[in-house]
């Protein structure tokens, strides 16, 4: 496939970021800023994590991003009513002036991530400005669209990456100057991450960021469904309108590299013994009587040689690798680049889920979980099968995206992800 149309050099129109008046929690109206934050909606492990967040503070953002009621209509109405009530009570307040927001995350292991939050012009894939790398599930897009329509708000930012020249110039220069100033807020969440946020309202600094980003394209690191939702909602509203833009966090990974992790699968209703029996003659299977870290290390070693997975759920780990080439030839589509055909997620879905195990890719049959230990624990509790994957390198993801080739859904987890609840965007504020 010709990739010229997807290169930054030939992008006719780059990233168009615009300032907005952020909605933020009034720290005097909540127990603590940490207690009202949440991971992104699709990372919350349900129901345990949801209940934990709901009980952390009555104003936790999870009550907006994952409202709980009997029907979807009631859930969305509840989120809209909750947002309206919090605004009326001053729990959430709009900043006085529009601006960009510099956002910083640190952990105890030396990781530092900084980026800029703003409202990004929503573009179509054909424009080659924002590059998706994964497919989306229509029912999730429909769910997020209904929630955004009801609340008329972008409740949590997507995570997008772009590649600067690796030096502290332009956007990065503004970010690093801003990070030397006192922040609007600072908090530490229970996962040990330290979060800080600053507003950038000076017109010259805003213009510098806009000019710099206009020369770049971005890769969706996290938030494919929400980006697809932005596109749907923009199409529903005559332009110009606030729906022409969506809330994003942009990170220059030449300056602040992200971590890339796998997203694991929990197969409901498929016991490990049945999953393994079906692999006879198709994959090599080895039982590992080892703790999770050692099992994941063995998976990493095997993944360097080819497709490999860890199956769990019966109290042990089973390393599955060396697929039968004939199986791959007859199950993996041949009309895609070799880098796509050899992805672990491609082989998992095309060969194992579709052909060997015959499991539909629907919420009733498969759950997507970011944490390996949580996936294993739920498999053991429910009697299902956990399928643990090894992460894909960022350069592979970006190269496929520039070719216009999407990976199987939920193939990667870039992070750290922005905490939800630190800054929101109401469309009519």
């Amino acid at each position: 496939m010709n990739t010229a149309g997807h290169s930054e050099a030939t992008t006719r129109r780059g990233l168009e970021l615009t300032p907005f008046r952020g909605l933020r929690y009034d720290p005097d109206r909540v127990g603590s800023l940490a207690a009202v934050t949440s991971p992104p909606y699709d990372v919350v492990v349900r129901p345990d994590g949801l209940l934990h967040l709901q009980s952390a503070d009555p104003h936790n953002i999870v009550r907006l991003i994952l409202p709980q009621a009997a029907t979807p209509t009631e859930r969305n109405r509840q989120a809209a009513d909750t947002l309206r009530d919090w605004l009326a009570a001053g729990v959430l307040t709009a900043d006085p002036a529009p601006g960009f927001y510099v956002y910083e995350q640190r952990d105890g292991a030396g990781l530092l991530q900084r980026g800029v939050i703003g409202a990004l012009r929503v573009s179509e894939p054909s424009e080659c400005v924002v590059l998706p790398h994964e497919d989306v599930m229509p029912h999730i897009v429909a769910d997020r669209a209904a929630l955004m329509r009801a609340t008329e708000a972008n409740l949590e930012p997507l995570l997008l990456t772009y590649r600067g020249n690796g030096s502290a110039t332009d956007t990065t220069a503004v970010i690093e100057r801003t990070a030397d100033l006192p922040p609007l807020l600072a908090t530490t969440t229970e996962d040990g991450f330290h979060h800080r946020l600053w507003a950038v309202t000076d017109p010259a600094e805003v213009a510098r960021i806009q000019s710099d980003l206009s020369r770049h394209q971005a890769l969706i690191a996290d938030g494919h469904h929400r980006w697809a939702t932005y596109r749907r909602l923009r199409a529903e509203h005559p332009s110009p309108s606030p729906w022409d833009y969506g809330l994003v966090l942009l990170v220059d990974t030449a300056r602040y590299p992200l971590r890339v992790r796998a997203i694991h699968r929990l197969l409901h209703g498929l016991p490990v013994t049945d999953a393994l029996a079906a692999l006879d003659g198709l994959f090599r299977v080895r039982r590992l009587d080892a703790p999770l870290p050692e099992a994941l290390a063995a998976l990493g070693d095997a993944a360097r040689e080819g497709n490999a997975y860890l199956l769990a759920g019966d109290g042990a780990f089973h390393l599955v690798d060396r697929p039968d080439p004939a199986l791959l030839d007859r199950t993996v589509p041949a009309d895609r680049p070799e880098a796509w055909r050899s992805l672990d997620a491609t082989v998992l879905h095309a060969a194992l889920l579709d052909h060997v195990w015959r499991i539909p890719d629907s919420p009733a049959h498969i759950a997507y979980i970011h944490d390996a230990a949580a996936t294993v624990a739920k498999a053991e509790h429910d009697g299902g099968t956990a399928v643990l994957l090894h992460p894909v390198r960022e350069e592979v993801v970006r190269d496929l995206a520039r070719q216009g080739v999407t990976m199987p859904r939920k193939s990667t987890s870039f992070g750290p992800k922005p905490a939800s609840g630190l800054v929101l965007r109401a469309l009519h504020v």
Side-chain angles (χ1 to χ4, degrees), residues 86-368:
W86 289 358
L87 288 168
V91 174
L92 285 170
T93 59
D95 283 330
F100 295 137
Y101 294 85
V102 169
Y103 177 47
E104 176 188 278
Q105 292 167 278
R106 291 180 183 266
D107 69 2
L111 182 142
L112 170 64
Q113 176 176 291
R114 287 174 176 158
V116 61
I117 296 174
L120 182 68
R121 183 185 71 87
V122 178
S123 58
E124 294 301 311
S126 60
E127 297 180 62
C128 306
V129 174
V130 175
L131 305 178
H133 69 268
E134 290 184 359
D135 296 329
V136 297
M137 303 180 207
H139 72 279
I140 297 180
V141 175
D143 173 75
R144 291 294 101 182
L147 178 64
M148 287 191 205
R149 284 191 207 100
T151 58
E152 295 190 313
N154 301 150
L155 301 172
E156 45 186 348
L158 284 65
L159 176 60
L160 306 184
T161 74
Y162 68 100
R163 299 288 291 180
N165 62 12
S167 65
T169 60
D170 300 320
T171 299
T172 299
V174 176
I175 287 172
E176 295 184 356
R177 280 197 299 272
T178 303
D180 287 333
L181 303 174
L184 290 177
L185 65 84
T187 190
T188 302
T189 45
E190 65 179 9
D191 59 4
F193 271 91
H194 308 286
H195 308 262
R196 296 198 294 171
L197 191 77
W198 297 260
V200 178
T201 57
D202 178 78
E205 299 283 59
V206 167
R208 189 169 288 112
I209 290 173
Q210 290 176 312
S211 175
D212 177 41
L213 293 177
S214 71
R215 298 191 291 269
H216 293 287
Q217 63 181 177
L219 175 73
I220 300 176
D222 185 68
H224 283 81
H225 289 92
R226 283 167 286 164
W227 183 254
T229 300
Y230 289 169
R231 289 175 47 218
R232 174 180 292 192
L233 293 172
R234 186 196 65 168
E236 293 175 1
H237 296 82
S239 185
S241 84
W243 298 98
D244 291 342
Y245 297 84
L247 187 64
V248 304
L249 165 65
L250 279 158
V251 174
D252 176 3
T253 53
R255 188 72 172 176
Y256 299 106
L258 298 184
R259 292 172 175 165
V260 186
R261 291 176 172 163
I263 301 177
H264 311 292
R265 277 65 168 159
L266 172 62
L267 311 182
H268 304 301
L270 178 67
V272 176
T273 52
D274 293 350
L276 294 172
L279 300 181
D280 187 36
L282 300 176
F283 283 77
R284 181 176 69 168
V285 179
R286 290 174 287 165
R287 179 186 174 100
L288 304 178
D289 290 308
L292 178 59
E294 291 182 22
L296 288 173
L299 172 63
D301 291 339
R304 282 193 282 272
E305 305 298 325
N307 301 116
Y309 313 91
L310 272 182
L311 271 56
D314 62 349
F317 294 102
H318 306 271
L319 182 60
V320 175
D321 64 355
R322 297 188 182 178
D324 176 12
L327 171 68
L328 302 186
D329 288 342
R330 67 176 182 267
T331 59
V332 178
D335 60 345
R336 303 289 185 92
E338 175 58 28
W340 181 90
R341 298 185 74 247
S342 61
L343 290 169
D344 288 334
T346 296
V347 172
L348 172 61
H349 283 261
L352 285 169
L353 295 175
D354 292 351
H355 181 80
V356 177
W357 293 327
R358 300 188 182 280
I359 296 177
D361 190 359
S362 71
H365 297 89
I366 304 175
Y368 293 83

Side-chain angles (χ1 to χ4, degrees), residues 398-419:
R398 190 176 296 274
D399 181 60
L400 286 171
R402 282 180 170 154
Q403 296 179 59
V405 178
T406 55
M407 299 166 65
R409 58 182 61 122
K410 300 295 184 182
S411 294
T412 59
S413 175
F414 285 85
K417 304 178 191 304

Side-chain angles (χ1 to χ4, degrees), residues 24-53:
R24 296 188 297 109
Y25 281 99
D26 181 343
D28 294 331
R29 301 295 182 103
V30 298
S32 72
L33 290 175
V36 295
T37 64
S38 164
Y41 79 98
D42 58 336
V43 181
V44 176
V45 178
R46 284 161 268 185
D48 297 346
L50 182 65
L51 294 173
H52 173 72
L53 291 164

